[in-house]
């Protein structure tokens, strides 16, 4: 179905050839496929959209701030909608009953946030499993774009570090909660890590991607993608120098931080990423 929008005096059509995958990093200690009670399903601390272009074989990344303020849906013990609350997007995962239900709830909210952009699949990774999965791939090389020695003494700016074991988890998880907007630095590291992990498999053609992660599906990984779709992720070039971030402002509210989207700038961003101008 063709989707057309009018924006700033011009007409645009949605690029239906794009394949958009929602990647979630979930902070929870139970097996990720487990269903639980609302409020205890964990939070999606990493939320990014991978937009794959089958024609160019390139992937554009949109990183979405976990603190984005939205009307979220709260569900009961049976997974039925109860009410809406205005809160940080990261909590939508917790407000459902875990597993595929929480993944779908976040997917629907991200789609709403992005004015109906198609989301073709989701891939959720439990943060507790990063070390084990990382080592299954033989570790990942990451170049430090700034000084992160607060995490580990080897994380000096400009150095390339081979992440193994707990170092991998520390790299993607660390955030100084006493520092305002420390979530920004973590988002940047998460993009670095995820793209480095997938790009490593790209060098081998991606054929081993699904085989390597399949033992962790259900415990640390939850996805609605099949083996071929997962292997295809490793066949794209990830444009790490052109990562997009949700436009807006981070503000402090007591002990918490809240991110408010600039709707006009967001519309400009979405037009550039997902639409083509009608001549």
């Amino acid at each position: 179905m063709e989707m057309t929008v009018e924006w700033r005096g011009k007409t645009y059509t949605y690029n239906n050839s794009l394949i958009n995958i929602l990647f979630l990093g979930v902070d929870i200690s139970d097996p990720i496929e487990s269903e639980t009670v609302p409020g205890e399903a964990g939070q999606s601390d990493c939320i990014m959209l991978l937009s794959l272009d089958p024609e160019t074989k390139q992937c554009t990344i949109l990183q979405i701030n976990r603190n984005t303020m939205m009307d979220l849906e709260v569900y009961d013990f049976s997974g039925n909608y109860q009410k809406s609350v205005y809160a940080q997007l990261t909590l939508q995962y917790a407000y459902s009953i875990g597993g595929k239900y929480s993944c779908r709830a976040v997917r629907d909210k991200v789609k709403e946030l992005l004015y109906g952009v198609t989301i073709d699949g989701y891939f959720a990774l439990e943060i507790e499993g990063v070390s084990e999965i990382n080592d299954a791939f033989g570790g990942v090389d990451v170049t430090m774009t700034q000084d992160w020695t607060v995490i580990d003494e080897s994380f000096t700016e400009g150095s390339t570090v081979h992440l193994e074991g707990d170092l991998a988890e520390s790299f993607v998880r660390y955030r100084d909660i006493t520092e305002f907007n420390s979530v920004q630095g973590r988002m940047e590291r998460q993009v670095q890590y995820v793209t480095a992990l997938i790009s490593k498999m790209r060098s081998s053609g991606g054929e081993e991607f699904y085989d390597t992660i399949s033992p962790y599906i259900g415990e640390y990984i939850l996805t609605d993608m099949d083996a071929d779709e997962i292997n295809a992720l490793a066949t794209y070039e990830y444009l790490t120098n052109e990562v997009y971030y949700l436009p807006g402002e981070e503000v402090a509210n007591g002990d918490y931080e809240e991110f408010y989207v600039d709707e006009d700038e967001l519309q400009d961003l979405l037009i550039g990423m997902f639409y083509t101008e009608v001549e």
Side-chain angles (χ1 to χ4, degrees), residues 30-160:
D30 295 328
I32 196 169
E33 68 176 358
S34 301
E35 296 176 23
T36 184
V37 299
E40 297 184 9
Q43 300 180 14
S44 50
D45 283 337
C46 174
I47 307 171
M48 68 177 74
L49 193 68
L50 310 178
S51 186
L52 311 170
D53 189 333
E55 296 181 5
T56 64
K57 300 302 290 184
Q58 293 180 326
C59 175
T60 303
I61 302 165
L62 173 60
Q63 178 69 282
I64 298 170
N65 194 310
R66 70 185 292 280
N67 294 327
T68 300
M69 299 299 291
M70 292 187 68
D71 287 322
L72 307 181
E73 298 180 353
V74 180
Y75 296 84
D76 65 15
F77 293 89
S78 300
N80 299 311
Y81 170 80
Q82 289 294 292
K83 62 179 180 179
S84 288
V85 296
Y86 191 61
Q88 292 92 339
L89 179 58
T90 183
L91 296 172
Q92 182 59 83
Y93 196 96
Y95 287 158
S96 189
I97 59 173
K100 61 184 179 182
Y101 298 99
S102 287
C103 289
R104 292 169 182 171
V106 179
R107 176 200 63 192
D108 292 346
K109 279 295 146 184
V110 171
K111 182 176 180 179
E112 176 186 328
L113 174 68
L114 303 182
Y115 293 96
V117 164
T118 301
I119 299 180
D120 300 284
Y122 63 79
F123 188 103
L125 171 64
E126 184 182 325
I127 300 299
E128 292 285 343
V130 167
S131 298
E132 194 170 337
I133 294 170
N134 176 85
D135 290 358
F137 283 104
V140 171
D141 293 330
V142 173
T143 300
M144 301 297 149
T145 57
Q146 65 184 81
D147 189 291
W148 289 114
T149 51
V150 66
I151 305 175
D152 186 86
E153 62 181 11
S154 66
F155 291 0
T156 57
E157 183 175 0
S159 63
T160 298

